[in-house]
Amino acid sequence: TGIMYTGFALLFLMSEKSRHASPEHAHKKQSILLCFILFVSLCLRIYISSLVEGYMVDVNCFLSWGQTMASYGPVQFYEATSFCDYPPLYTYILGLNSTVTGLLGGGTVTARIVFRFIPSLCDILACWFVYHLLIVKKGISTSSAFAFVCFLAFNPAFILNSAAWGQMDSVLCLLLLAVAVYSQEDKWLISLPLYVIAVLIKPQALMLGSLGLTYILITWIKNKGQRKS
């Protein structure tokens, strides 16, 4: 909480100083401060990861799957493990996590940090993505976008999910966010492969498949002259 209030105090001071500055200069200063705030938010997640055991049913599954992937490789993974309800792509990440944990000497605390680092990093990347989306696509002022992203970076629900509970939903959410944005821009060569990756990360991405298909059909019907391209 102290870190969050410090960040908002810095935002207020910076906004006061930027009132008479050029928009380009103000945007540059806010981008630098945003990088600092997001770095602090990531450090906070790493610290919480080192302290909290998490939801041990899922955490133990991730640890077991990671060790199995690191030991047997992708070809024999599903044959070697007794239970796995995840598609293959995230198990590769878990295998990498297990390998990195071993290189760092192992240990419970090290495993917590390593296995939750990528989900925590995806939280931060989502914040950065939203910041530029608000400014570039929506035309919102940099100060307003910055304040919103600060609240997003220190959202307790996000921190609890990735850093404390040890879940990986932020990885899926980041991908689906990118899919939604690029689909609205009709950049299907980007959005469709990203959606396939999202499904291979976690099968819950299929729940949005019907919405995506509906949007594709509507776009195809409305853009009759551009179907060949």
Side-chain angles (χ1 to χ4, degrees):
T1 304
I3 295 174
M4 180 173 65
Y5 285 132
T6 301
F8 291 143
L10 289 173
L11 168 64
F12 175 77
L13 293 174
M14 182 201 64
S15 299
E16 289 296 317
K17 292 181 179 180
S18 300
R19 284 185 177 182
H20 304 291
S22 63
E24 295 79 9
H25 183 63
H27 176 64
K28 182 179 179 180
K29 290 180 64 177
Q30 287 178 336
S31 297
I32 295 174
L33 183 56
L34 179 64
C35 290
F36 172 74
I37 293 297
L38 294 181
F39 176 74
V40 172
S41 179
L42 179 61
C43 291
L44 176 63
R45 284 166 165 80
I46 294 174
Y47 177 69
I48 293 175
S49 298
S50 66
L51 297 178
V52 184
E53 289 186 351
Y55 182 59
M56 294 310 297
V57 174
D58 287 347
V59 169
N60 287 333
C61 285
F62 292 154
L63 293 172
S64 175
W65 296 340
Q67 184 60 48
T68 302
M69 177 61 72
S71 300
Y72 292 92
V75 176
Q76 297 181 330
F77 171 77
Y78 287 98
E79 180 181 353
T81 188
S82 58
F83 164 78
C84 183
D85 58 352
Y86 266 53
L89 194 53
Y90 199 70
T91 61
Y92 299 161
I93 299 176
L94 295 175
L96 175 63
N97 290 340
S98 183
T99 301
V100 172
T101 301
L103 293 175
L104 295 177
T108 302
V109 175
T110 302
R112 289 177 190 167
I113 295 174
V114 171
F115 273 77
R116 300 174 199 184
F117 180 77
I118 290 181
S120 296
L121 182 61
C122 285
D123 280 343
I124 304 305
L125 293 176
C127 292
W128 186 262
F129 190 85
V130 169
Y131 177 71
H132 284 277
L133 176 65
L134 292 175
I135 293 176
V136 177
K137 304 298 181 182
K138 301 301 181 181
I140 297 177
S141 66
T142 54
S143 297
S144 298
F146 185 92
F148 178 80
V149 171
C150 282
F151 280 107
L152 192 65
F154 292 97
N155 186 333
F158 285 6
I159 297 174
L160 286 173
N161 186 269
S162 57
W165 278 22
Q167 303 299 301
M168 48 73 64
D169 301 282
S170 56
V171 181
L172 178 65
C173 289
L174 175 61
L175 288 169
L176 293 180
L177 174 63
V179 168
V181 171
Y182 289 124
S183 296
Q184 285 189 323
E185 298 175 355
D186 292 335
K187 296 180 179 179
W188 299 106
L189 293 179
I190 300 176
S191 63
L192 291 179
L194 285 177
Y195 180 69
V196 173
I197 293 174
V199 173
L200 293 175
I201 286 286
K202 196 169 185 178
Q204 279 79 355
L206 291 170
M207 297 171 64
L208 297 180
S210 58
L211 294 177
L213 179 60
T214 301
Y215 187 76
I216 290 175
L217 292 175
I218 293 174
T219 303
W220 187 77
I221 293 172
K222 290 175 62 178
N223 298 279
K224 183 177 180 180
Q226 301 178 2
R227 290 178 186 174
K228 289 185 179 181
S229 61

